[in-house]
């Protein structure tokens, strides 16, 4: 599907990544379309799975989360059953804001928010270390977010 995207589709994707609250009229104007074709194109991008949803970007700091940690986890076992159980459990933990199954020494990389270092320590001991098949945990802490917005490049 990405090869089928024309310049207008790409402009729509860029505009929506910049501000998903644009009205159809504002979006249409920004890409030099009328509203009906603009709406149809956005619907097509949604139905094709290129646009997977819309959400507000929240400030962890303003919500009381002063610590962001990147936690690498090594699994004791790599069985499919344990991996599924582990991944399902991660989805239930709100402090884990992102998770990737990665290559290298560790198996998973988590992004975790916590109120402060003490609460992160408690979270690591009481939640992360009790997850199924966790062998080793390594944490790094963010001093500041240099690029907080996650935008996927749209090839021009």
């Amino acid at each position: 599907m990405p090869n089928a995207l024309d310049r207008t589709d790409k402009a729509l994707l860029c505009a929506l990544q910049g501000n998903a609250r644009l009205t159809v009229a504002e979006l249409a104007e920004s890409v030099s379309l009328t509203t009906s074709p603009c709406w149809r194109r956005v619907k097509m991008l949604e139905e094709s799975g290129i646009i997977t949803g819309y959400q507000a970007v929240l400030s962890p700091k303003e919500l009381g989360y002063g610590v962001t940690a990147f936690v690498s986890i090594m699994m004791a076992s790599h069985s499919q059953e344990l991996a599924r159980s582990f991944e399902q459990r991660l989805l239930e933990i709100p402090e884990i804001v992102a998770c990737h199954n990665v290559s290298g020494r560790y198996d998973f990389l988590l992004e975790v928010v916590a109120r402060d270092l003490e609460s992160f320590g408690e979270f690591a001991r009481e939640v992360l270390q009790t997850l199924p098949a966790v062998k080793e945990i390594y944490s790094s802490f963010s001093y500041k977010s240099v690029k907080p917005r996650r935008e996927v490049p749209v090839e021009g």
Side-chain angles (χ1 to χ4, degrees), residues 3 5 10 33 38 43 47 84 117 130 134 137:
N3 294 338
L5 297 177
K10 292 173 184 178
L33 284 178
C38 179
K43 282 294 174 204
E47 290 167 3
R84 283 190 190 115
L117 284 174
T130 65
V134 169
I137 296 174

Side-chain angles (χ1 to χ4, degrees), residues 3 16 20 39 46 52 55-56 67 93 136 145 149 152:
N3 294 338
L16 286 169
W39 181 83
E46 291 169 350
T52 60
Q55 72 184 102
V67 169
I93 304 170
E136 184 178 322
S145 178
R149 290 191 44 135
V152 177

Side-chain angles (χ1 to χ4, degrees), residues 78-98:
H78 293 91
S79 75
Q80 278 190 339
E81 184 180 323
L82 275 173
R84 283 190 190 115
S85 173
F86 178 80
E87 290 173 9
Q88 187 57 46
R89 180 67 182 103
L90 293 180
L91 296 174
E92 301 166 359
I93 304 170
E95 293 87 353
I96 299 172
V97 297

Side-chain angles (χ1 to χ4, degrees), residues 5-7 9-15 17 151-156:
L5 297 177
D6 64 16
R7 189 174 59 220
D9 291 328
K10 292 173 184 178
L12 285 168
L13 293 172
C14 288
Q17 274 196 120
E151 292 187 11
V152 177
V154 181
E155 297 296 320

Side-chain angles (χ1 to χ4, degrees), residues 68-148:
T68 298
F70 294 92
V71 180
S72 298
I73 295 184
M74 181 187 295
M75 303 299 290
S77 168
H78 293 91
S79 75
Q80 278 190 339
E81 184 180 323
L82 275 173
R84 283 190 190 115
S85 173
F86 178 80
E87 290 173 9
Q88 187 57 46
R89 180 67 182 103
L90 293 180
L91 296 174
E92 301 166 359
I93 304 170
E95 293 87 353
I96 299 172
V97 297
C99 173
H100 297 270
N101 184 207
V102 296
S103 65
R105 176 177 179 175
Y106 294 97
D107 299 299
F108 290 90
L109 178 63
L110 314 178
E111 183 177 352
V112 175
V113 294
R115 300 229 174 264
D116 50 37
L117 284 174
E118 184 178 344
S119 64
F120 175 80
E122 186 176 306
F123 175 79
R125 286 186 305 277
E126 295 179 12
V127 178
L128 296 179
Q129 290 179 348
T130 65
L131 291 170
V134 169
K135 177 180 180 181
E136 184 178 322
I137 296 174
Y138 177 83
S139 301
S140 297
F141 297 94
S142 173
Y143 294 131
K144 71 176 182 175
S145 178
V146 177
K147 188 177 180 182

